[in-house]
Each structure stands twice: as structure tokens, then as C-alpha cells.
Amino acid sequence: MKTTLRTHTCGELNASNINQKVTLCGWIQKIRNLGGMTFIDLRDRYGITQLAFNAETNPELCKQIEPFGREWVIQVTGTVAERYSKNKNIPTGDIEILAKSINVLNESITPPFTIEDESDGGDEIRMKYRYLDLRRNPVKNNLLFRHKLSIAIRNYMNNIGFVEIETPMLVSSTPEGARDFVVPSRLSHGEFYALPQSPQTFKQLLMVAGFDRYFQIVKCFRDEDLRADRQPEFTQIDCEMSFVSQEDILQTFEGLIKYIFKETKGMDIGTIERITWHDAMKYYGSDKPDARFGMRFVELNDVLQHRDFKVFNEAELVVGIVAKGCAHYSRKQIDSLTEFVKRPQVGATGLVHIQCQEGGNYKSSVDKFYNQEDLAAVAKKCGAEEGDLILIMAGPRLKTQKQLCELRLEMGRQLGLRKAGEYKLLWVVDFPLLEWDEETQRYYAMHHPFTAPKPEHEAMLETHPGEVNANAYDLVINGTEVGGGSIRIHDKNLQKRMFKALGFSEEEAQKQFGFLMNAFQYGAPPHGGLAFGFDRMCSVLSDADSIRDFIAFPKNNAARDMMLNAPTPISDAQLKELGLK
Ligand code: ASP
């Protein structure tokens, strides 16, 4: 990495360079003055090199460096020498530079937090000075990992004939999906562009245009309330293919995912298992199951609804999980699980437990209603053995499944079954096409309005819309949805029927999506695709909780950029120009 200002980087020199004259540039990480000797750790993107200054042989230099402080940028020339006390932890640990001359390239005021792997700075301050945070190894390495991943993906996609095509950032707003970010138009007062939530319709138009295999690593924008793993702007690996079935798409992208795991982690993930949406809900209570561990749901209506226990008898679903080896849980431990499910975030009213004790004895919180024989039947149905704890919840089907899902994940966490470094990938397939919303009393597209019903279900679109399944699929890694897509509608009339099922009038559909339906009149090929969340993929592959760590300049939980302090008010003159005042 030789330039006019340096001969080497701070991560490059080792014993093979001893006696060479070199010039390095970098930031001062640390200064240690030991009296006779002063040492400076010089840091750049590539590593750290130790500079040594001898007070006896080089008093002027020692005088020159006296005022230096952390994060000053210096250029140093000297000779590479073998180090007396070697540092085995870094690649440059065998050598040091005996400095001959130093040039200060820039001074630095004291940084607001330490630029160390473990910084003393809190989240907000590190976001405000993100350029300093990015000097720290863990954050820097995340961005380097992101880069490596994007290059691997581009290479792979290019090799299998995918073309990267950019789509516009100023598009029109549509009420479906999440909330749009909008941009006022100066030239057409009262009118707005929207920033794209995804390039969905554009990639379909590229299929109509004949591009056949498209991808793009692309920014998307969604004005949603933020959670830990959401950002208002995020990046997708967006893909679309023509003349394909669902199987072609799953195979193609299974190839990509395998390649990514091999390239970035050296791991062979084998074949990605598939599970239907219906089974995912039935056995895990979630459309994105963490399948690193079993603890599958067992439906218990038939073995628990024959006694006088109203809570179970009136429930649509009675369902349990088995926590292996947890029969010994104390009253306190079980109370705390009950408390967990009663938290507003989970929202359950209670939790029933059965302890399968030694000698075939059962102890339960519903002993009053069920005898030993009843409890043995439950244990048998659950596959529970001596020493196991059965946890049971009851209520409306979907709600109870979601609540038990939370408990299952919590038990998995408590029992150390959600192991970092272990990866369980799943294709969740056969999603329902539509989802009924009680509040607005209408159907919404579970994926998006361009997803095709399964051909054999097409006829039910008008008669039994809730029962129509789609060729839609998600990729789930360790309980996180990393991507999803579908086979699309490519027929104008079917698209019209879909909009009708979603409660659009013909005029509304024409106004918002006329461009797409028009395009479908000019020979639209059968097509389908998917998009992966790129930030999320980075975080999942790194066993990290938040996508924020993999974004160079992220927003905080209030969707603010702490460094720019954006969003900001704009001037009256700007508002007038935009017709907003
Ligand atoms: N555009 C979709 C999304 O953003 C993905 C796809 O269907 O390809 O979720």
C-alpha cells in the first residue's frame, strides 16, 4: 500500500523487514514514556506498529514528541528493528521502528471516548462521533466484513448470469406496505415523490424488458417505528428471474447462500430444509422458527378437554412444549416463567406446568382437575420422560401459538440451546396469499400485491380468499427472517383480480399500478424472485444482535442521525420554493 507519503502500512512489517528504512503514516493509539525509552503505538486501518524513541541517542526527537497526544496523525521514518519484548498477539509484534524523523500531519483534540476495542463511550456519543467509532477494530471489522460479503455476492451473481441494474430512488407513493418517506417536488407544487420501499415493481418491469436475471444491492426506505434490528434506510440484495418455477429460485439462491457461508465462514451448510408456513406455525408458533433446537409444540386439546377445567375446555387451542430435564424447577423458577408470559410484550393470562417426577409421578398446577392417569396421557402425547417439565398454554389459536413461541425461545435461551456459531437455515414455503385485518376489515397481501396465488388455488381468490396459498417463501436463519420472495403475477387479469381481493376499486388500481398492468399487456414473461436483507445477513453471519453495527452511519432508535442531527428544519425560503409555505 505504498504511496507518496508512506512506504508501508502499520499492519505489514515483520521480522523479514529488519534493517529496512521505512516510512509509516497513522494515528497515535498510545504513548508510553518509560523514562529512557518512549513507545508510540501507531495505528492505521491495517494494524498497529510500535515506534521506539531512545532519549539518550535521540534527545531532539524525544523533545519533539513530548506534546503529542492520542489520535494525532503523524508520518514517521526510521529503521525496522527486532523487538526486545515481542507481542505474539499482533502480526507486527516481532518488530519496532527506531524512529529517525517525525512529521506531524495533523493534531487531534482529545477524543470523547477511548478508541479501543472496549470503548468507554456510550451508544449516543459513539453515534455522534461515528467517524471515531469507525476507527475502533470491532466496528471497522464489521464494515470490512460487509464489504467482503458484498464482493462475494456480486462475483457469484455475475458468474451465474445476473445483471446488476440500478432503479430510481425518486418514485411514487403507494398506500400498500409500510409508510413511505416522501420528497416534495419543487417543479410540481403539492406533489411528492416517495423513496422506494423496495425496487419491486421496477424489477418486474425489467423482466418484461427481457433482462431475465437481475440483481441489485440497493438502498430501501421504510418509515416504520424502529426496533432494535430495523433502520429507516437499509440495504437489500434484490433479485428477479424469468421463466422460472419456485424450485428454480430456491435452488439458485440456496447456491448463493451456500457460497456465502463457505466464503465468509468456511462452513458447509448442506441442504437447506424446508417447512411449510402451516407447519412452522403449528410446531413453532412462528413463521420464522429458530430451529437450532427442537422443543416443538404439541397440540393437547384431545387429552386435556375432557375434565372440568374451563380454561382449557373453552380454548380453541391447548398446546404445550417439553423442557428436557427441567422437572426440578423450583416454585420460584416456575413463577418467573409465568411472569415472563404475563408481561405485556407476550400478553398471556397464565401458564400451566406438569413436572414429570421420578417413579412416574406427576405434579401439576392443575392437579385439582386432572388425575395421574390424565397427566400421564399428556406426558405420553408430548413424548415427555421422567425429569422433564411440560409447559402448557391455552386460548385463541394464533395468539396462543405466538405466546408459546416466546416462551419456547426464552426456554431455549435459558437452557443454552440457542448457540452462537451454530446455524440452522430454513426455507419457509407455502405462505397464505392474504391475511385478514380485523381493524380495517379487509384482506392485506401477506407478502405484497404482486405475489401469485398457487395455480391450483387461483379459483378460490373470490370464493375463499383466506384459504389461498401463494408460491411465496422466506429464508430464515436461527429465527431471523433474512430474505423472502415469491412467484409473481404476470397476467394483467389475474393482477386485476388480486387488487379487487385487496379491496381496490378499478380506478384506484389503475391509478396506482396502471403502469405495471399496462406493461403486462406487452408480453410479460412468467417471473419470480426474492430479496435478502443485506444488513441483517451481515449481522446474522456475525452472530450480532443489531444491524446498526454493520451500517457505516446508522440512525438511532428515534430515526435520527446523531452526527448530522438530521432530520432538521429547513429555511422559509426552501419551504416557499417547495410550495410548502
Ligand atoms: N420486494 C420484496 C420485499 O422487499 C421482496 C421480493 O418479493 O422480491 O420484501
Side-chain angles (χ1 to χ4, degrees), residues 164-201:
E164 183 159 21
I165 301 175
E166 287 166 275
T167 51
M169 286 289 122
L170 294 174
V171 301
S172 59
S173 181
T174 57
E176 283 305 275
R179 217 177 282 112
D180 286 322
F181 280 103
V182 296
V183 180
S185 160
R186 176 178 62 83
L187 295 176
S188 310
H189 282 182
E191 296 189 316
F192 295 80
Y193 300 101
L195 302 179
Q197 296 187 21
S198 85
Q200 184 60 38
T201 48

Side-chain angles (χ1 to χ4, degrees), residues 197-198 200 203 222 236 238-240 447-448 484-486 488 529-531:
Q197 296 187 21
S198 85
Q200 184 60 38
K203 66 175 171 177
R222 293 182 192 173
Q236 282 190 342
D238 190 45
C239 312
E240 198 75 6
H447 188 47
H448 52 54
S486 58
R488 326 296 185 188
L530 84 186

Side-chain angles (χ1 to χ4, degrees), residues 43 138 142 164 209 220 244 247 324 345 354 385 431 494:
R43 183 196 71 235
N142 285 346
E164 183 159 21
C220 301
V244 285
E247 192 55 38
K324 281 258 146 246
Q345 297 94 313
I354 303 173
E385 295 166 343
F431 273 77
L494 182 56

